[in-house]
Amino acid sequence: MKTIQKLAWIILPLMITTAAFGQAPGDDKEKEDKIEALKVGFITKELSLTSVEAEKFWPVYNELEAKLKEIRQSCKKINKELRESEEKISNDDAKKKMNTLFENDQKELDLKKEYSEKFIKIIGEKRTLKLLSLEHEFRRVLLERLKDRGEAGPQDRKPHGKP
């Protein structure tokens, strides 16, 4: 039974990755879940996680991601407010929003430092260093796949306020 569990930790993310691109596009939640499954498979493969490591790694990683998501929601809210009322914003309010964005950047950095220590205990220094670059690498690979399928997202659109 343990052997099956170990194999599941390794094979399941790869199967989900393959299946995710084989299905027709659905609602946002479905797409989000597919992307998350792809990310799990990508990170598991790139870090060569054993089943024992994966059992320890993923709860810590998911905890970090949840905390980062909270911080990023605040940034999204500020960006949305800016898009909706760019011309009406006062200088004082702009300064407050900039400070909030800087504080959020610092919070993200502090969290990454804190959690890198936890990851080092699970997967070591070299793979923790690699993990730090995998987020950007995953986005690059995902964007390439989406471009190949003609489904590139907002990253390919012109930035707000630019002609």
Side-chain angles (χ1 to χ4, degrees):
M1 189 66 174
K2 291 233 182 226
T3 306
I4 293 172
Q5 287 177 329
K6 289 179 182 178
L7 285 173
W9 276 105
I10 296 169
I11 295 173
L12 186 60
L14 297 174
M15 288 173 50
I16 292 171
T17 301
T18 305
F21 273 111
Q23 298 176 357
D27 63 357
D28 288 343
K29 178 65 176 150
E30 190 176 315
K31 285 182 182 179
E32 216 174 275
D33 290 344
K34 287 178 184 180
I35 291 171
E36 195 58 37
L38 289 170
K39 186 176 178 181
V40 167
F42 182 81
I43 291 173
T44 299
K45 180 182 173 211
E46 291 296 316
L47 293 180
S48 303
L49 295 176
T50 67
S51 58
V52 173
E53 289 171 334
E55 286 179 40
K56 294 176 184 175
F57 174 84
W58 286 110
V60 175
Y61 184 85
N62 291 336
E63 186 179 296
L64 169 63
E65 285 294 300
K67 290 179 180 182
L68 289 173
K69 186 175 184 178
E70 285 180 34
I71 294 168
R72 291 172 182 155
Q73 291 294 15
S74 171
C75 294
K76 284 182 182 181
K77 182 181 174 190
I78 291 172
N79 289 331
K80 182 181 178 187
E81 290 170 1
L82 180 60
R83 282 192 305 274
E84 292 173 352
S85 61
E86 185 175 358
E87 299 300 320
K88 299 176 187 174
I89 192 168
S90 70
N91 286 336
D92 287 342
D93 199 26
K95 188 172 186 173
K96 287 178 188 174
K97 290 182 186 309
M98 280 191 294
N99 285 332
T100 300
L101 290 174
F102 294 142
E103 289 168 8
N104 286 345
D105 285 347
Q106 187 62 52
K107 286 178 188 175
E108 278 195 40
L109 180 60
D110 292 342
L111 270 175
K112 288 178 182 180
K113 285 180 179 180
E114 174 188 339
Y115 276 81
S116 69
E117 293 300 320
K118 294 178 181 186
F119 291 130
I120 287 170
K121 292 176 183 173
I122 299 168
I123 60 173
E125 288 86 355
K126 290 180 183 179
R127 288 192 288 170
T128 298
L129 175 61
K130 186 173 184 176
L131 174 63
L132 295 175
S133 68
L134 285 179
E135 183 84 19
H136 296 289
E137 180 67 15
F138 174 73
R139 285 187 187 137
R140 187 189 62 74
V141 168
L142 182 63
L143 189 56
E144 283 178 10
R145 286 186 182 182
L146 291 173
K147 282 181 182 177
D148 290 346
R149 293 180 65 199
E151 298 179 22
Q155 298 87 348
D156 290 345
R157 296 184 192 133
K158 291 179 183 173
H160 175 70
K162 305 281 181 181

